[in-house]
Each structure stands twice: as structure tokens, then as C-alpha cells.
Amino acid sequence: MALNLNPEEITALLKRRILEFERGARVTEAGTVFSVGDGIARASGLSRVMAGELVEFEGGLIGIALNLEEDNVGIAVFGDDSAIKEGHPVRRTGRIAEAPVGPALMGRIVDPLGRAVDSGPPIEAAERRKIEIKAPGIIERQNVTEPLQTGYKMVDVLTPIGRGQRELIIGDRKTGKTALAVDTIINQKGQDVACFYVAIGQRRSAVARVFETLRQHGAADHTTIVAATASDPAPMQFLAPYSGCAMGEYYRDSGRHALIVYDDLTKHTQAYRQLSLLLRRPPGREAFPGDIFYLHSRLLERAAKLNAEKGGGSLTALPLVETQANDIAAYIPTNSISITDGQIFLETNLFNSGQRPAMNPGISVSRVGGDAQIKAMKQTAGMLRLELAQYRELAAFAQFAADLDAATRHQIERGHRLMEVMKQSVHVPMPVAKQVAIIYAGINGYLDDVPVSEVQHFEARLLAFIDGNHAEFLRLFAEKQVMDDALKTLLADILRNFKKSRADHPAA
Amino acid sequence: MRLSRTSRRYAEALCGAAGGANRIDAVLADLSQIAALIRESSSRDLTHPMTLKLLRFLAEIIEAMTTSHDERRGILKVRLTSAFPMDAETVTAIAERIQRNRRKPVAVAVAVDPGLLGGFRFQIGDAVYDHSLRGALECLRENLIRA
């Protein structure tokens, strides 16, 4: 709309505004800065300032009042504090930190205060929401019932995620945490789930890469990136997840669904530690302040599945936490594990041995479990979980035994193939019908005569075969969502036909 | 000026020790002379920085005592800043206006800040009442940006 205005119109508009401007006394509440440094300013006065209120320095720089003490206020500055000098006035704005919400943000990159940081026009949102609000109460919630498909066989089968769940993605650096989260966003394409990717303390190039990946896979249009990068001041990094959460809550509270990825909370705790120490709050374990647990619990509690009266909307959270040397017993990882509804644990040695996603199925859990799976997946996944558990037990045992009986060998061989089926490349999320098809093939012995090294080729060609010749299976599956006898027979027929047609042996 | 907790505590103690509002007035009259002396004396006359620090601290205590005594008597402290020096009549007029409005006696401290461009500004406690040209320009600027 503003784009259609020509310069004359703009001049006229400005002239009118200037003429209409009424000069009156401006009454503000002000204080005086008496010390500033490291992004923290202290001011005297401001006696009625609220906790978390935004304050304005000379020159328009914004800060947030975090520490309210008897005779001074500790303010975290959102920006370069070198312009603030001792003796400068600081004004109350009367506003608690808030962010714009709504559809105007889709496809955009914004900072934690909701200002556009991409090349697009300023965000014009109809609604603004407070960044820090209380999580929904007990009565307003209901159990997680609908699945949120990540598109990864391994995750959707073994640690299914439901809409409204908080699932922690935890692992060392370079284990595929971000890839898993980004692919989950890509897989929400066409699912009517608004996605939010909150980048905290990351390199700008990394954020640009995520955006590019999303754009390439057509997932940028349903995603907002909230970026507080490594070069942004600590208060911005501290606010980013709350701000992103407020944007997601807009969808949750209007009966729709949203997914939010916090990448990552380790950096968030570090930003908060920096802030707290500079504000001279007493340090505790690992120099983190005493409220470090509350910092994340109040954030993750805002992810919820609301009851029907409240519209039944949901906000699903995927927080990421980086570990050092696989130590999930460290301070921040244990905190995060205890707050969330399960964790996906990614391991470096699995990643390096070629198992991707590098999820350790033994210690990864989802406390929501089968409730977050459709019936057909539940039927198939139960069998798979059993087979894999037996495989793991036998594989460990088989290392010491020279010769094994046929049944054991068979079990191990099948386990090998099932683990092979669990492998999946990055950025190719798979719809649930196809996941069920290949897993069904695995646990019902259709892969037993396929060499382990060929399993992934077999899978690719089988799925292409279904797409090309048996689209009715996909349609029927989407309709029923239950593996009843008819569907089972159909799938078995497809598998038999496929093997007979030797489409799995391209050379022949 | 920001008053440290220590100076406020000394001031409270002094008020207590003086006892009775009249006697505090007398003490304050003496002390304000000392404060004026401290303001007038420059650091050149003193040989050691410690002495200067002590004197500044003393000045702070006197200021804290004045503030707390004014508060106790219900006197509003008004800091009036104008772009150009104001004549006594205008200051009195403004003071009377505030006095009428707040129904409290006022004590006005006057200062000049050319940065205000025009008009004046006064502060009571934390509240700033801005009648300056600069404040108006800032308001207009925000108004235009928001539109």
C-alpha cells in the first residue's frame, strides 16, 4: 500500500501531520544513568519502573529494566552502549517488552523485538503481544493426541512427537541437531503448522544457511526466523526464545498449530549467565544464576495442547541443547531433560559410523509415546521396536559367541537390515504412508534376502514403485490411517509384485 | 546528583541528633554555608586528593540532609531547567503555579541548558514535565515515524 504513494503525496501527508501536531507538555518519568558498561546500565530514579519494562535512553536506544533495587535500576541495553554516558537521562516507556505477531511475520527474518532484519519492508502486524506471559493453566490443556511428523523414520517410529509436546534434541556439536529440526520444519509444508526457528547466539552465516535451506525446499513461506546472532548483545539473545514463543502462541491461542525450534538453549543459558553476572546477581553452579531452571521451565511450559473449549490449538517445542563429549549428565542438559517430554539423543560415533540421523535409540525417549502416532504407525512401530530391542541385546551378546544358532543369526541379520532402513539422508523427509510401507516390509521379512548394502537402494526403488504403480495405496492409507486386513493385503501384494518384477534389481 | 546510601544514613543521623525541626533549620543554615564554601573552593587550593574527596562527601551529606528535611516538611523539590536564563518573576510564576497545583510548598533549583533550544523543563521527583522546544521536536519525530 505504501509502495503506491508518490513523493508529492508523501510530502503532503507529512505537511499535514506537522501542521496538525499539537504542542503540549510531555510528561515522562525519568532517571539518570550513573554507570554503564558491558551492555548494562545502572540508573538512579525510575522509582516506579516495572520489572521487564522497556526504557529509552537518549538517542532512542532501548533497554530493559531487569534489576529493581532500593536505590537503583539495572538495565540491559539492546544495542551499542557506547553512546550512553554517565548523567544521561533514561525514560520509562510504560511498555513491557512485546513483539508483533500474526501472518505478517511468515517468511520473514526478524530480531527478538520483531523488527525485520531481512531485506524486506518493515513488519506491519495488526497485533502485538507481550513477550513474557504465563503458560496456560492445567484446566486449559489436554493430552497430546495428534502427531507432528518429523519425516524421519527413526524419530516418527521410535520417539514420536505430538502436537503440543516438548521434545529435546540433544547431542554434541556436528551431530545433526539443526538438520533434524530444520527437516521437521520442511516436513510441515502443507500441514497447516506455522513454524518458528529461533536462532540464539549462532553465526549469521549459519542462520543464512538455514533460511536458504528452507527456501530451497519451499518451507520458508510457513516459517519465521527469529535471529539473535552471536554478534547481537546478550539481552537480545536472552529475549529471543520468549519473543519467538509469543509469536507461536498467536497460532496456539487461535486454535491452530505451531512448531517452534530453539537453536540452541545452551547459548541462551550462556547469554543469561553473562547478563546475570553483569547485573551482579549471585552466581551458583558453573556460575549460572539461581533461576536458570526457571529460565527454561517457564519458556517450555508455554508449549501446550489446548483443550477443545480453548480451540484445541497447539504449540510444539523442539529445544536444542549442545553437550560436551556426550555428557548428558551436565548441569544444563539434565535441567532440560527434566523439563521436556522426552529427548532425542544424537551421538558423534553413530554419526561418523554412517547412521544418520545419529539417534541413539536406547536412551532416546518420548514420554508422550504412542498417543502421538496414527493407528497404522502404532501397529507397525510396536513390532519394530521389539525387533530392534532384541537385535541390540543379541548383537551385544554375539560379539563374544563364535557360533550362533540359526534363529539368533536370523534375528541379528534382520536387525542389521532394520537399522539400515532407519537410515535417512538429510532434507528428504518421508510421508508416514511410505514410512509404514518400508518398515512393514522390514519386519515381515521382505528384506531378509536383500543384502544389507542394498537395503537403501531397495527402499528407494520400492517407494518409487509405489509412487508410479500403486498410488492407490497412498490414497487408501491417507483415508483409513489404520493397517486393517485390506490394507495389509494390498501392501503385501505390492511387495510381492515389486520383488517379482525385479524392479529392485536394475541390472537384471 | 545521586546520593549514596552512606550519605543518606549520615544525614538521617544528623537530623536525629539535631532534634526538633527548628534546630535542624539552624544546623542546615550553618551547613549550607559550608556547602557553599566547598563549592567555591577549587582543587588547586588543596594539596591532597583525599581532602577533596572528604569535602565532596561532606557536601553530599549536606545535600542529603536538605533533601530529607524538605521531604519531611512536605516541600516539593523542583528542578527547573530552561534554554536561556530566566528572570526571577518567571521562576516565581512557575513555582506558584506548581504550588497551586500540588498544594505543597516548593523549593526551586534553577539551571540553564542551551540544548533545550527553547522553553523550559522541570522535574519533580522522577517525573519530567517537558515544555521545551527540543521535547516538542522529539515528540513530532516519534509521531512522524509512527505514522
Side-chain angles (χ1 to χ4, degrees), chain A residues 152 178-180 182-183 186 213-214 216-217 424-429:
Chain A
Y152 275 108
T178 302
L180 179 57
V182 167
D183 281 358
I186 293 174
T213 309
L214 291 174
Q216 273 171 9
H217 293 84
Q424 195 171 336
S425 313
V426 75
H427 305 329
V428 278

Side-chain angles (χ1 to χ4, degrees), chain A residues 239-262:
Chain A
L239 272 192
Y242 301 101
S243 173
C245 193
M247 295 171 191
E249 279 170 333
Y250 168 81
Y251 290 90
R252 181 197 72 191
D253 296 344
S254 54
R256 285 171 284 178
H257 302 282
L259 164 73
I260 186 161
V261 174
Y262 303 112

Side-chain angles (χ1 to χ4, degrees), chain A residues 38-101:
Chain A
D38 300 317
I40 301 291
R42 281 176 183 276
S44 59
L46 289 175
S47 54
R48 298 205 302 165
V49 74
M50 301 178 278
E53 182 178 334
L54 295 180
V55 293
E56 193 178 353
F57 295 95
E58 246 184 358
L61 202 58
I62 299 281
I64 184 169
L66 287 178
N67 261 25
L68 309 183
E69 284 164 35
E70 190 192 337
D71 57 353
N72 75 77
V73 179
I75 301 161
V77 184
F78 293 130
D80 180 17
D81 63 12
S82 60
I84 304 169
K85 297 272 182 299
E86 191 184 336
H88 273 186
V90 48
R91 272 196 301 127
R92 279 187 62 183
T93 61
R95 286 184 291 135
I96 299 285
E98 52 184 18
V101 298

Side-chain angles (χ1 to χ4, degrees), chain B:
Chain B
M1 188 164 78
R2 178 175 175 261
L3 301 169
S4 70
R5 203 177 295 185
T6 330
S7 54
R8 272 183 297 170
R9 189 150 302 167
Y10 271 101
E12 291 296 320
L14 261 173
C15 285
N22 296 338
R23 269 181 284 176
I24 294 176
D25 278 338
V27 173
L28 262 179
D30 290 346
L31 287 177
S32 54
Q33 282 181 31
I34 297 174
L37 265 179
I38 294 173
R39 268 198 300 277
E40 279 160 26
S41 69
S42 67
S43 51
R44 252 183 319 159
D45 308 333
L46 302 161
T47 46
H48 201 277
M50 274 303 292
T51 336
L52 194 65
K53 267 192 185 165
L54 179 72
L55 286 180
R56 280 203 191 128
F57 184 52
L58 190 60
E60 211 179 291
I61 294 174
I62 295 168
E63 164 139 9
M65 198 171 164
T66 319
T67 311
S68 96
H69 190 51
D70 282 353
E71 260 169 34
R72 216 170 289 179
R73 285 184 303 173
I75 294 180
L76 273 186
K77 213 169 153 187
V78 178
R79 279 202 315 213
L80 179 63
T81 317
S82 55
F84 305 98
M86 281 188 182
D87 52 45
E89 258 171 59
T90 325
V91 175
T92 324
I94 293 171
E96 268 174 9
R97 185 81 180 272
I98 298 168
Q99 209 159 319
R100 238 188 354 243
N101 237 321
R102 294 293 188 99
R103 295 198 184 92
K104 270 183 181 175
V106 297
V108 184
V110 189
V112 174
D113 177 8
L116 293 182
L117 301 176
F120 64 91
R121 182 172 77 186
F122 61 89
Q123 183 168 359
I124 305 170
D126 283 344
V128 182
Y129 299 80
D130 199 340
H131 292 268
S132 72
L133 188 54
R134 182 167 151 199
L137 283 174
E138 272 169 17
C139 254
L140 178 62
R141 180 173 166 272
E142 277 168 31
N143 223 332
L144 285 177
I145 291 173
R146 225 181 304 130

